Amino acid sequence: MDIDILFMSEKIIDFTGISASKFYFFPRLVQDRMSQRDDYKSLIEKMRNAVKQGYWRTELQIKTDELATPCWIELRCQITPAAVGWQWNSILIDITQLKQQQLALTIAQQKSHAATIAKSRFLAMMSHEIRTPISGIICLLDLMQPYAQQPELYQIHKNLTLSGNNLLNIVNDVLDFSKLESNKLEIYPQEKSLYKIATILVQPHAIHAAQKGLDFKLWLDPNVAKSLHFDSLRLKQVLNNLLNNAIKFTSQGTIHLDINLLSQQNNQQTINFTITDTGIGIAPKDRHKLFQPFEQIEQNTDRRYDGTGLGLSICHQLIQLMNGTITVSSQPNKGTRFTIALTFDIGLPAEIKSLNKHCGLLSIVNDPILTNYLTAWHCSISRLNVTTKEQLAVAISTQCIDTIFVPQSWAEQHNIDLNWIAINLPSVNWITITSTDVMLTSNINARNISLSPLLSQQLYRALTEPFQPYNNDNQYNHTLPIALTREQAIADNRYVLVAEDHPINQQILKQQLEQLNYAVDIVDNGKQALIALAKTHYNILLTDCHMPEMDGYELTKTIREQEQKAATIALPIIAITANALTNTDRFKTMGFNDYLIKPLKQQQLKNVLSQWVKPLSMNHSVKKLSQVTMEQTTLTPTPTSSINMIDINELIPIFGNNDLCQMLLQQYLDSCIDDLSQLKTAITQQNNDNIFMVSHRMKGAARMMAFHQLAQVTQKLELQTQHVQRDITGIQQHYQQIEQLIEQLSHQINRK
């Protein structure tokens, strides 16, 4: 390497300990000094690359015998081509002090990190140690609760329990924080339903919000997958913390939790969780403190809001562990919004449910979440601007609305009760919107939903379950349809064949079907059904599954084989079974179109028949309200006694008439006595097949008549006959129980 020095500052002696004049006379000293460095080879390589770039900048430590202490320089070179070789114009800057400061900072950071680790270990250890006595205190308080019922002790006990739980929550926060700082906390994703998690999670928060007079809104995007892979414990921890804060810092207005599908690709969904409040908000200058540990916006000693200041820091770190993001936007005195974005693997894809309902909403019902759910489920919506209940009834009838949402306050204001609904809107699904402090319930009387929050699964259930209008006085109001003659029903394609071997079940089905304006023929078994079908054209067949000579399964198989050979249109066949643990796929495989489970309620029977039987005209059953003369029959059931075998109030919704129920009860008692005689004969003859057949028949009839005790005993007897080794003693005991139950039923009926 040939080096010529054109100019060198006298300050070079400060960096190298050699004067500029000596370098002038002996330029080779530059190369000699460089060759003594440990990084000489890499330095030469970097210089060659610098020639290509025309510029070089680096930092070098200089150690020479002439200098007492090493120094650091920053070297900046501009390189240009010369007549021979290249000309280097270089500047040397002393950065020794800067390097010393950096070293000191590195040492300080290492010490700080070591201190943090020590602190985290200490916090973790202390948290575990403190949790033990706290858990003991809480357990003792729990054991003490039954003995602290006096008003003074009760309040003291309640406050102690609350304080103990608060202390445990603080310790848990500290423990989680220490785990996060020491990288000991891990995420464990599992396949879970976000709908179920969110529904359970929001309920205590909704109650807390209602206690403060706040509305609570929940939106769960129907496009979110049915199941996803996520750590439900940590996700709930984050959402609980944010919802607690939202309610804590809000004195009036609304709390929102919105869960929306942001995007979907590669079998993953990115979900947005947005928690919005209308509380005190956060000033811009304070937002940087939100996710810092042990930081709170309100630092004065008379703080209105308690807490450790760890919650949001833990949330932030947990979201980072889940590879997500959390952001905040806020305006003082207007509210705050936290937005979390997380990506999850899809377990089961979303199922968009198509209900195709026609829903009516009073104009005063203005809830976008409700309308969004209805729209997602392909329901049409009509806004009803009515001021009286008469206008409401006419609007529902003329617009063919099948489901109506009415605020409870509006119904009470207009004196609407379940009697009025049953008389004027018998086929409409009535859903009451209750006050904000009532979670959605579904009881025997009606469907009540709360919009604060509106839970999607319960709304779906309210839309799909049949509505049965009973009032609180156990009175049932039945609107009688305009009756068709048998000839009219047959001409209107409403002709039903029933295959059922039990007399009481035959009578019940005949009465139910005729009330629904169907013409009915009844046979005792499958063989008779085949003969009837060969002679007469029926629109549908209802068949019991277990009958003598030919059961419902064999009957259906035979009909389907005949249809296939003759290439005729398939007859709708509905199975009637006492097995509540059955499923649709099983029956479809056997050739049935649908099935009904005993006891058959009128509405269930009506729904299934309307699905498979298409009358030629609906003029007999659908009339405008103004054209229909409605007849009210108020039925007052006989009050039941504690020893009643059958509760008349359970039969009224099945048969719709108190007098009819009493008549059927007497007929049922007569059939029970006859069945009991046949059962006794079968047991005496030890005819296992007959014992099974009679007990099965009695079980089905008992379920149809809501005679629950008898249904249980006959089922046990039926199962007993299927054992390889018959237990004669057990069969006799079951028979005696059946005999006693029938005797008690006789006392009940005869004392009326």
Side-chain angles (χ1 to χ4, degrees), residues 502-509 664-665 667-668 671 701 705:
H502 199 286
I504 192 65
N505 288 352
Q506 292 177 351
Q507 182 65 28
I508 290 169
L509 280 165
L664 289 174
L665 270 175
Q667 293 179 2
Y668 174 63
S671 72
M705 293 299 296

Side-chain angles (χ1 to χ4, degrees), residues 423-442:
I423 296 169
N424 295 278
L425 302 170
S427 60
V428 175
N429 186 8
W430 182 284
I431 300 177
T432 302
I433 301 173
T434 66
S435 56
T436 57
D437 59 344
V438 179
M439 298 300 293
L440 184 147
T441 58
S442 178

Side-chain angles (χ1 to χ4, degrees), residues 156-172:
I156 293 172
H157 179 272
K158 181 180 178 181
N159 291 337
L160 281 172
T161 303
L162 181 62
S163 298
N165 287 325
N166 287 340
L167 186 57
L168 185 59
N169 288 335
I170 292 171
V171 171
N172 286 337

Side-chain angles (χ1 to χ4, degrees), residues 414-426:
H414 293 82
N415 297 317
I416 295 176
D417 57 18
L418 294 169
N419 286 340
W420 185 89
I421 297 171
I423 296 169
N424 295 278
L425 302 170

Side-chain angles (χ1 to χ4, degrees), residues 668-730:
Y668 174 63
L669 176 61
D670 295 340
S671 72
C672 282
I673 294 171
D674 182 62
D675 286 336
L676 188 65
S677 174
Q678 294 184 39
L679 183 61
K680 183 177 182 181
T681 301
I683 293 174
T684 302
Q685 296 174 352
Q686 295 188 12
N687 188 325
N688 205 53
D689 291 339
N690 285 349
I691 295 173
F692 171 83
M693 186 63 67
V694 177
S695 60
H696 178 81
R697 188 172 69 224
M698 292 183 75
K699 179 189 72 173
R703 287 183 175 174
M704 184 73 81
M705 293 299 296
F707 194 175
H708 305 300
Q709 301 99 316
L710 184 61
Q712 292 175 0
V713 177
T714 51
Q715 182 178 21
K716 291 178 181 178
L717 179 57
E718 179 186 5
L719 294 173
Q720 187 74 54
T721 63
Q722 298 176 27
H723 293 168
V724 176
Q725 294 182 342
R726 284 176 296 177
D727 182 0
I728 302 300
T729 303

